[in-house]
Amino acid sequence: MTATREVAPARADDPASVAATARRLLTELPGPRSRDLEAERRRQVTDAFGITMPVFIDHALNALLVDVDGNHLIDFASGIAVTSVGAANPRVARRAAAQLERFTHTCFMVTEYASFVDVCRWLNEHTPGDFEKRTALFTTGAEAVENAVKIARAATRRPNILVFDDAYHGRTQLTMAMTAKENPYRLNFGPLPGSVFRGPTAPAHATPDGPGEALTQVEALLAEHGQETFAAMVIEPIQGEGGFIVHAPGFLTGLREIATRHGIVLVIDEIQTGMGRTGKLFASEHEGIAGDITLTAKALGAGLPLSAATGRAELMNAVHTGGLGGTYAGNPVACEAALAVFEILGEGTLLENAGRIEAAVRRRLEPLVALEGVADVRGRGAMMAIEFRDGSGPRGDLAAAAAKAANAHGVITLTCGTNGNVIRLLPPLGIEADVLDEGLAVLEASIRSVLS
Ligand code: PLZ
């Protein structure tokens, strides 16, 4: 997988004609063994999980996932921005395996272990903000969000939370109320918890005049409900599930200023954007801002469940002893995986590679913006997206059809966006240049095929 290969499609609108080199397609997708397993899944598993590709994976080779029929699929999803170091990283595996031999669990609330403290130290040192910090570890992203709200409420003794249009913060009771999109996240699951208010954003691609109007509306919303009633505002520095929305320059710094002025805790949800995804360790760094609390999960544990809230020491310590915790919070195997991730990120190559991924994606996909139905290519680093929209509005149908065509030809892509009209790319940061190019060639041909 090192030689540069010719991967340009023979026909620009035919994904099947892109020479399969890194990809290996031995069967149609899904193959017969995947189809058998899928039939059994239907008999055993709830239908409530939506599946992007009903293909069963056997093992991973960096940015390739190998299915049970022997097909090699190019991974542009990283398990939703989790396996940034690859889904079978040997250093992660070695550290986690060694920990499994020593002990699997003690519960940090019962007896302690040093790796938990080591993970907290790294996060205290590397998350944005030149102030004394403390960290709490948890298991899932939603749990980190929930705990940030608990911490902010305990520290401020205020009830209300401000979130934003197109936000995604999780699927638990509180976090689904914080998440913007109704279907599938909130539908039929009400009543939702109260004290959650939603403000406008200023997407860079839709707000040529800058964030002034949105910030004025945020101020008005806070004034209407009483600034002194807000414990926290919670925002993703690039909104993920909501459509890979990059905020207009000045929006995040504006929120930072408003939060400080009103004594509101600014919580930056870096669960999808953090740990190098955008070419810097944290996406907040692109804007020069620091949250009072920064949340990480996903790529932190490279697939072993681990999340964290890192924030100002006085906030994190405002909670009474015993007020935070969880049986599995900061599981020792997950902590070892995180320590391996820190070592790998410390070498710098993956951060540089994120920049190369952005350049390759822009080179391949930006020319498509000239086509009717393609509106925008945006994102940062290895968090890039292409939006489908025309005079009639968002074209979720085009995004779905193009993603499906790419999937059928062995490239794992996800859609996102409040209108489902965005295809997003989240490859592992160490994806080989030729594997990336081949995946992009298939995606380009898939997009052209649904537009023609
Ligand atoms: N905050 C910014 O992106 C998880 C959701 C997948 P959990 N995003 C993937 C799905 O459909 O369930 C996410 C996120 C941001 C919070 C979360 C929640 O993280 O680990 O899924 O709870």
Side-chain angles (χ1 to χ4, degrees), residues 204-224:
H205 64 275
T207 322
D209 298 337
E213 176 57 27
L215 291 169
T216 303
Q217 285 179 33
V218 168
E219 283 279 21
L221 198 144
L222 292 174
E224 184 186 350

mmCIF file with all atom_site columns, all heavy atoms in Angstrom, residues 204-224:
data_model
loop_
_atom_site.group_PDB
_atom_site.id
_atom_site.type_symbol
_atom_site.label_atom_id
_atom_site.label_alt_id
_atom_site.label_comp_id
_atom_site.label_asym_id
_atom_site.label_entity_id
_atom_site.label_seq_id
_atom_site.pdbx_PDB_ins_code
_atom_site.Cartn_x
_atom_site.Cartn_y
_atom_site.Cartn_z
_atom_site.occupancy
_atom_site.B_iso_or_equiv
_atom_site.pdbx_formal_charge
_atom_site.auth_seq_id
_atom_site.auth_comp_id
_atom_site.auth_asym_id
_atom_site.auth_atom_id
_atom_site.pdbx_PDB_model_num
ATOM 1   N N   . ALA A 1 204 ? -20.413 29.548 9.003  1.00 0.00 ? 204 ALA A N   1
ATOM 2   C CA  . ALA A 1 204 ? -19.546 30.336 8.115  1.00 0.00 ? 204 ALA A CA  1
ATOM 3   C C   . ALA A 1 204 ? -20.071 30.319 6.685  1.00 0.00 ? 204 ALA A C   1
ATOM 4   O O   . ALA A 1 204 ? -20.041 31.342 5.997  1.00 0.00 ? 204 ALA A O   1
ATOM 5   C CB  . ALA A 1 204 ? -18.117 29.784 8.172  1.00 0.00 ? 204 ALA A CB  1
ATOM 6   N N   . HIS A 1 205 ? -20.610 29.145 6.241  1.00 0.00 ? 205 HIS A N   1
ATOM 7   C CA  . HIS A 1 205 ? -21.015 29.036 4.836  1.00 0.00 ? 205 HIS A CA  1
ATOM 8   C C   . HIS A 1 205 ? -22.316 29.772 4.535  1.00 0.00 ? 205 HIS A C   1
ATOM 9   O O   . HIS A 1 205 ? -22.680 29.937 3.386  1.00 0.00 ? 205 HIS A O   1
ATOM 10  C CB  . HIS A 1 205 ? -21.129 27.559 4.422  1.00 0.00 ? 205 HIS A CB  1
ATOM 11  C CG  . HIS A 1 205 ? -22.203 26.805 5.157  1.00 0.00 ? 205 HIS A CG  1
ATOM 12  N ND1 . HIS A 1 205 ? -21.986 26.232 6.385  1.00 0.00 ? 205 HIS A ND1 1
ATOM 13  C CD2 . HIS A 1 205 ? -23.498 26.543 4.844  1.00 0.00 ? 205 HIS A CD2 1
ATOM 14  C CE1 . HIS A 1 205 ? -23.103 25.632 6.790  1.00 0.00 ? 205 HIS A CE1 1
ATOM 15  N NE2 . HIS A 1 205 ? -24.024 25.811 5.886  1.00 0.00 ? 205 HIS A NE2 1
ATOM 16  N N   . ALA A 1 206 ? -23.053 30.174 5.580  1.00 0.00 ? 206 ALA A N   1
ATOM 17  C CA  . ALA A 1 206 ? -24.364 30.797 5.347  1.00 0.00 ? 206 ALA A CA  1
ATOM 18  C C   . ALA A 1 206 ? -24.457 32.189 5.948  1.00 0.00 ? 206 ALA A C   1
ATOM 19  O O   . ALA A 1 206 ? -25.527 32.796 5.936  1.00 0.00 ? 206 ALA A O   1
ATOM 20  C CB  . ALA A 1 206 ? -25.468 29.900 5.937  1.00 0.00 ? 206 ALA A CB  1
ATOM 21  N N   . THR A 1 207 ? -23.365 32.674 6.506  1.00 0.00 ? 207 THR A N   1
ATOM 22  C CA  . THR A 1 207 ? -23.416 33.958 7.202  1.00 0.00 ? 207 THR A CA  1
ATOM 23  C C   . THR A 1 207 ? -22.278 34.853 6.703  1.00 0.00 ? 207 THR A C   1
ATOM 24  O O   . THR A 1 207 ? -21.332 35.132 7.441  1.00 0.00 ? 207 THR A O   1
ATOM 25  C CB  . THR A 1 207 ? -23.281 33.746 8.733  1.00 0.00 ? 207 THR A CB  1
ATOM 26  O OG1 . THR A 1 207 ? -23.992 32.572 9.100  1.00 0.00 ? 207 THR A OG1 1
ATOM 27  C CG2 . THR A 1 207 ? -23.832 34.935 9.514  1.00 0.00 ? 207 THR A CG2 1
ATOM 28  N N   . PRO A 1 208 ? -22.388 35.325 5.460  1.00 0.00 ? 208 PRO A N   1
ATOM 29  C CA  . PRO A 1 208 ? -21.284 36.131 4.920  1.00 0.00 ? 208 PRO A CA  1
ATOM 30  C C   . PRO A 1 208 ? -21.049 37.412 5.719  1.00 0.00 ? 208 PRO A C   1
ATOM 31  O O   . PRO A 1 208 ? -19.938 37.933 5.732  1.00 0.00 ? 208 PRO A O   1
ATOM 32  C CB  . PRO A 1 208 ? -21.740 36.451 3.483  1.00 0.00 ? 208 PRO A CB  1
ATOM 33  C CG  . PRO A 1 208 ? -23.201 36.148 3.433  1.00 0.00 ? 208 PRO A CG  1
ATOM 34  C CD  . PRO A 1 208 ? -23.479 35.140 4.492  1.00 0.00 ? 208 PRO A CD  1
ATOM 35  N N   . ASP A 1 209 ? -22.092 37.894 6.395  1.00 0.00 ? 209 ASP A N   1
ATOM 36  C CA  . ASP A 1 209 ? -21.938 39.144 7.147  1.00 0.00 ? 209 ASP A CA  1
ATOM 37  C C   . ASP A 1 209 ? -21.343 38.933 8.533  1.00 0.00 ? 209 ASP A C   1
ATOM 38  O O   . ASP A 1 209 ? -21.247 39.879 9.316  1.00 0.00 ? 209 ASP A O   1
ATOM 39  C CB  . ASP A 1 209 ? -23.285 39.863 7.281  1.00 0.00 ? 209 ASP A CB  1
ATOM 40  C CG  . ASP A 1 209 ? -23.841 40.257 5.923  1.00 0.00 ? 209 ASP A CG  1
ATOM 41  O OD1 . ASP A 1 209 ? -23.031 40.370 4.975  1.00 0.00 ? 209 ASP A OD1 1
ATOM 42  O OD2 . ASP A 1 209 ? -25.074 40.413 5.802  1.00 0.00 ? 209 ASP A OD2 1
ATOM 43  N N   . GLY A 1 210 ? -20.995 37.696 8.868  1.00 0.00 ? 210 GLY A N   1
ATOM 44  C CA  . GLY A 1 210 ? -20.375 37.463 10.170 1.00 0.00 ? 210 GLY A CA  1
ATOM 45  C C   . GLY A 1 210 ? -21.397 37.167 11.250 1.00 0.00 ? 210 GLY A C   1
ATOM 46  O O   . GLY A 1 210 ? -22.597 37.113 11.000 1.00 0.00 ? 210 GLY A O   1
ATOM 47  N N   . PRO A 1 211 ? -20.919 36.972 12.480 1.00 0.00 ? 211 PRO A N   1
ATOM 48  C CA  . PRO A 1 211 ? -21.760 36.437 13.540 1.00 0.00 ? 211 PRO A CA  1
ATOM 49  C C   . PRO A 1 211 ? -22.554 37.489 14.334 1.00 0.00 ? 211 PRO A C   1
ATOM 50  O O   . PRO A 1 211 ? -23.241 37.141 15.282 1.00 0.00 ? 211 PRO A O   1
ATOM 51  C CB  . PRO A 1 211 ? -20.738 35.765 14.462 1.00 0.00 ? 211 PRO A CB  1
ATOM 52  C CG  . PRO A 1 211 ? -19.518 36.614 14.317 1.00 0.00 ? 211 PRO A CG  1
ATOM 53  C CD  . PRO A 1 211 ? -19.513 37.123 12.897 1.00 0.00 ? 211 PRO A CD  1
ATOM 54  N N   . GLY A 1 212 ? -22.470 38.751 13.931 1.00 0.00 ? 212 GLY A N   1
ATOM 55  C CA  . GLY A 1 212 ? -23.067 39.823 14.747 1.00 0.00 ? 212 GLY A CA  1
ATOM 56  C C   . GLY A 1 212 ? -24.528 39.593 15.088 1.00 0.00 ? 212 GLY A C   1
ATOM 57  O O   . GLY A 1 212 ? -24.933 39.674 16.254 1.00 0.00 ? 212 GLY A O   1
ATOM 58  N N   . GLU A 1 213 ? -25.330 39.271 14.067 1.00 0.00 ? 213 GLU A N   1
ATOM 59  C CA  . GLU A 1 213 ? -26.769 39.099 14.287 1.00 0.00 ? 213 GLU A CA  1
ATOM 60  C C   . GLU A 1 213 ? -27.034 37.923 15.244 1.00 0.00 ? 213 GLU A C   1
ATOM 61  O O   . GLU A 1 213 ? -27.851 38.016 16.164 1.00 0.00 ? 213 GLU A O   1
ATOM 62  C CB  . GLU A 1 213 ? -27.458 38.883 12.928 1.00 0.00 ? 213 GLU A CB  1
ATOM 63  C CG  . GLU A 1 213 ? -28.942 38.587 12.970 1.00 0.00 ? 213 GLU A CG  1
ATOM 64  C CD  . GLU A 1 213 ? -29.767 39.656 13.688 1.00 0.00 ? 213 GLU A CD  1
ATOM 65  O OE1 . GLU A 1 213 ? -29.330 40.835 13.701 1.00 0.00 ? 213 GLU A OE1 1
ATOM 66  O OE2 . GLU A 1 213 ? -30.824 39.301 14.264 1.00 0.00 ? 213 GLU A OE2 1
ATOM 67  N N   . ALA A 1 214 ? -26.349 36.810 15.031 1.00 0.00 ? 214 ALA A N   1
ATOM 68  C CA  . ALA A 1 214 ? -26.562 35.635 15.894 1.00 0.00 ? 214 ALA A CA  1
ATOM 69  C C   . ALA A 1 214 ? -26.182 35.969 17.340 1.00 0.00 ? 214 ALA A C   1
ATOM 70  O O   . ALA A 1 214 ? -26.894 35.587 18.283 1.00 0.00 ? 214 ALA A O   1
ATOM 71  C CB  . ALA A 1 214 ? -25.742 34.451 15.387 1.00 0.00 ? 214 ALA A CB  1
ATOM 72  N N   . LEU A 1 215 ? -25.080 36.676 17.519 1.00 0.00 ? 215 LEU A N   1
ATOM 73  C CA  . LEU A 1 215 ? -24.647 37.007 18.881 1.00 0.00 ? 215 LEU A CA  1
ATOM 74  C C   . LEU A 1 215 ? -25.645 37.957 19.542 1.00 0.00 ? 215 LEU A C   1
ATOM 75  O O   . LEU A 1 215 ? -25.934 37.834 20.744 1.00 0.00 ? 215 LEU A O   1
ATOM 76  C CB  . LEU A 1 215 ? -23.237 37.616 18.852 1.00 0.00 ? 215 LEU A CB  1
ATOM 77  C CG  . LEU A 1 215 ? -22.129 36.633 18.468 1.00 0.00 ? 215 LEU A CG  1
ATOM 78  C CD1 . LEU A 1 215 ? -20.810 37.364 18.210 1.00 0.00 ? 215 LEU A CD1 1
ATOM 79  C CD2 . LEU A 1 215 ? -21.936 35.569 19.563 1.00 0.00 ? 215 LEU A CD2 1
ATOM 80  N N   . THR A 1 216 ? -26.209 38.871 18.771 1.00 0.00 ? 216 THR A N   1
ATOM 81  C CA  . THR A 1 216 ? -27.238 39.775 19.307 1.00 0.00 ? 216 THR A CA  1
ATOM 82  C C   . THR A 1 216 ? -28.444 38.959 19.781 1.00 0.00 ? 216 THR A C   1
ATOM 83  O O   . THR A 1 216 ? -29.009 39.208 20.850 1.00 0.00 ? 216 THR A O   1
ATOM 84  C CB  . THR A 1 216 ? -27.677 40.784 18.218 1.00 0.00 ? 216 THR A CB  1
ATOM 85  O OG1 . THR A 1 216 ? -26.514 41.476 17.788 1.00 0.00 ? 216 THR A OG1 1
ATOM 86  C CG2 . THR A 1 216 ? -28.697 41.763 18.749 1.00 0.00 ? 216 THR A CG2 1
ATOM 87  N N   . GLN A 1 217 ? -28.826 37.954 18.980 1.00 0.00 ? 217 GLN A N   1
ATOM 88  C CA  . GLN A 1 217 ? -29.971 37.105 19.361 1.00 0.00 ? 217 GLN A CA  1
ATOM 89  C C   . GLN A 1 217 ? -29.662 36.278 20.610 1.00 0.00 ? 217 GLN A C   1
ATOM 90  O O   . GLN A 1 217 ? -30.540 36.047 21.439 1.00 0.00 ? 217 GLN A O   1
ATOM 91  C CB  . GLN A 1 217 ? -30.351 36.186 18.206 1.00 0.00 ? 217 GLN A CB  1
ATOM 92  C CG  . GLN A 1 217 ? -31.077 36.910 17.079 1.00 0.00 ? 217 GLN A CG  1
ATOM 93  C CD  . GLN A 1 217 ? -31.405 35.954 15.935 1.00 0.00 ? 217 GLN A CD  1
ATOM 94  O OE1 . GLN A 1 217 ? -31.675 34.771 16.164 1.00 0.00 ? 217 GLN A OE1 1
ATOM 95  N NE2 . GLN A 1 217 ? -31.356 36.448 14.716 1.00 0.00 ? 217 GLN A NE2 1
ATOM 96  N N   . VAL A 1 218 ? -28.419 35.812 20.726 1.00 0.00 ? 218 VAL A N   1
ATOM 97  C CA  . VAL A 1 218 ? -28.034 35.059 21.931 1.00 0.00 ? 218 VAL A CA  1
ATOM 98  C C   . VAL A 1 218 ? -28.175 35.962 23.157 1.00 0.00 ? 218 VAL A C   1
ATOM 99  O O   . VAL A 1 218 ? -28.753 35.567 24.185 1.00 0.00 ? 218 VAL A O   1
ATOM 100 C CB  . VAL A 1 218 ? -26.588 34.526 21.809 1.00 0.00 ? 218 VAL A CB  1
ATOM 101 C CG1 . VAL A 1 218 ? -26.079 34.011 23.154 1.00 0.00 ? 218 VAL A CG1 1
ATOM 102 C CG2 . VAL A 1 218 ? -26.520 33.421 20.760 1.00 0.00 ? 218 VAL A CG2 1
ATOM 103 N N   . GLU A 1 219 ? -27.687 37.181 23.043 1.00 0.00 ? 219 GLU A N   1
ATOM 104 C CA  . GLU A 1 219 ? -27.810 38.150 24.148 1.00 0.00 ? 219 GLU A CA  1
ATOM 105 C C   . GLU A 1 219 ? -29.281 38.366 24.504 1.00 0.00 ? 219 GLU A C   1
ATOM 106 O O   . GLU A 1 219 ? -29.650 38.406 25.677 1.00 0.00 ? 219 GLU A O   1
ATOM 107 C CB  . GLU A 1 219 ? -27.184 39.493 23.756 1.00 0.00 ? 219 GLU A CB  1
ATOM 108 C CG  . GLU A 1 219 ? -25.674 39.523 23.815 1.00 0.00 ? 219 GLU A CG  1
ATOM 109 C CD  . GLU A 1 219 ? -25.132 39.748 25.225 1.00 0.00 ? 219 GLU A CD  1
ATOM 110 O OE1 . GLU A 1 219 ? -25.852 39.503 26.213 1.00 0.00 ? 219 GLU A OE1 1
ATOM 111 O OE2 . GLU A 1 219 ? -23.963 40.169 25.319 1.00 0.00 ? 219 GLU A OE2 1
ATOM 112 N N   . ALA A 1 220 ? -30.131 38.494 23.473 1.00 0.00 ? 220 ALA A N   1
ATOM 113 C CA  . ALA A 1 220 ? -31.557 38.760 23.709 1.00 0.00 ? 220 ALA A CA  1
ATOM 114 C C   . ALA A 1 220 ? -32.210 37.574 24.420 1.00 0.00 ? 220 ALA A C   1
ATOM 115 O O   . ALA A 1 220 ? -33.017 37.744 25.346 1.00 0.00 ? 220 ALA A O   1
ATOM 116 C CB  . ALA A 1 220 ? -32.257 39.051 22.380 1.00 0.00 ? 220 ALA A CB  1
ATOM 117 N N   . LEU A 1 221 ? -31.828 36.351 23.998 1.00 0.00 ? 221 LEU A N   1
ATOM 118 C CA  . LEU A 1 221 ? -32.406 35.154 24.609 1.00 0.00 ? 221 LEU A CA  1
ATOM 119 C C   . LEU A 1 221 ? -32.006 35.060 26.086 1.00 0.00 ? 221 LEU A C   1
ATOM 120 O O   . LEU A 1 221 ? -32.837 34.744 26.955 1.00 0.00 ? 221 LEU A O   1
ATOM 121 C CB  . LEU A 1 221 ? -31.915 33.939 23.833 1.00 0.00 ? 221 LEU A CB  1
ATOM 122 C CG  . LEU A 1 221 ? -32.681 32.643 23.995 1.00 0.00 ? 221 LEU A CG  1
ATOM 123 C CD1 . LEU A 1 221 ? -32.704 31.911 22.662 1.00 0.00 ? 221 LEU A CD1 1
ATOM 124 C CD2 . LEU A 1 221 ? -32.056 31.747 25.035 1.00 0.00 ? 221 LEU A CD2 1
ATOM 125 N N   . LEU A 1 222 ? -30.737 35.355 26.356 1.00 0.00 ? 222 LEU A N   1
ATOM 126 C CA  . LEU A 1 222 ? -30.274 35.317 27.759 1.00 0.00 ? 222 LEU A CA  1
ATOM 127 C C   . LEU A 1 222 ? -31.003 36.380 28.575 1.00 0.00 ? 222 LEU A C   1
ATOM 128 O O   . LEU A 1 222 ? -31.416 36.130 29.716 1.00 0.00 ? 222 LEU A O   1
ATOM 129 C CB  . LEU A 1 222 ? -28.763 35.559 27.823 1.00 0.00 ? 222 LEU A CB  1
ATOM 130 C CG  . LEU A 1 222 ? -27.871 34.461 27.229 1.00 0.00 ? 222 LEU A CG  1
ATOM 131 C CD1 . LEU A 1 222 ? -26.403 34.903 27.227 1.00 0.00 ? 222 LEU A CD1 1
ATOM 132 C CD2 . LEU A 1 222 ? -28.024 33.151 28.008 1.00 0.00 ? 222 LEU A CD2 1
ATOM 133 N N   . ALA A 1 223 ? -31.184 37.556 27.987 1.00 0.00 ? 223 ALA A N   1
ATOM 134 C CA  . ALA A 1 223 ? -31.853 38.648 28.720 1.00 0.00 ? 223 ALA A CA  1
ATOM 135 C C   . ALA A 1 223 ? -33.301 38.271 29.014 1.00 0.00 ? 223 ALA A C   1
ATOM 136 O O   . ALA A 1 223 ? -33.807 38.477 30.126 1.00 0.00 ? 223 ALA A O   1
ATOM 137 C CB  . ALA A 1 223 ? -31.781 39.940 27.907 1.00 0.00 ? 223 ALA A CB  1
ATOM 138 N N   . GLU A 1 224 ? -33.958 37.654 28.018 1.00 0.00 ? 224 GLU A N   1
ATOM 139 C CA  . GLU A 1 224 ? -35.370 37.296 28.176 1.00 0.00 ? 224 GLU A CA  1
ATOM 140 C C   . GLU A 1 224 ? -35.571 36.354 29.360 1.00 0.00 ? 224 GLU A C   1
ATOM 141 O O   . GLU A 1 224 ? -36.515 36.491 30.132 1.00 0.00 ? 224 GLU A O   1
ATOM 142 C CB  . GLU A 1 224 ? -35.855 36.646 26.872 1.00 0.00 ? 224 GLU A CB  1
ATOM 143 C CG  . GLU A 1 224 ? -37.337 36.307 26.865 1.00 0.00 ? 224 GLU A CG  1
ATOM 144 C CD  . GLU A 1 224 ? -37.740 35.526 25.621 1.00 0.00 ? 224 GLU A CD  1
ATOM 145 O OE1 . GLU A 1 224 ? -36.916 35.405 24.677 1.00 0.00 ? 224 GLU A OE1 1
ATOM 146 O OE2 . GLU A 1 224 ? -38.884 35.021 25.606 1.00 0.00 ? 224 GLU A OE2 1
#
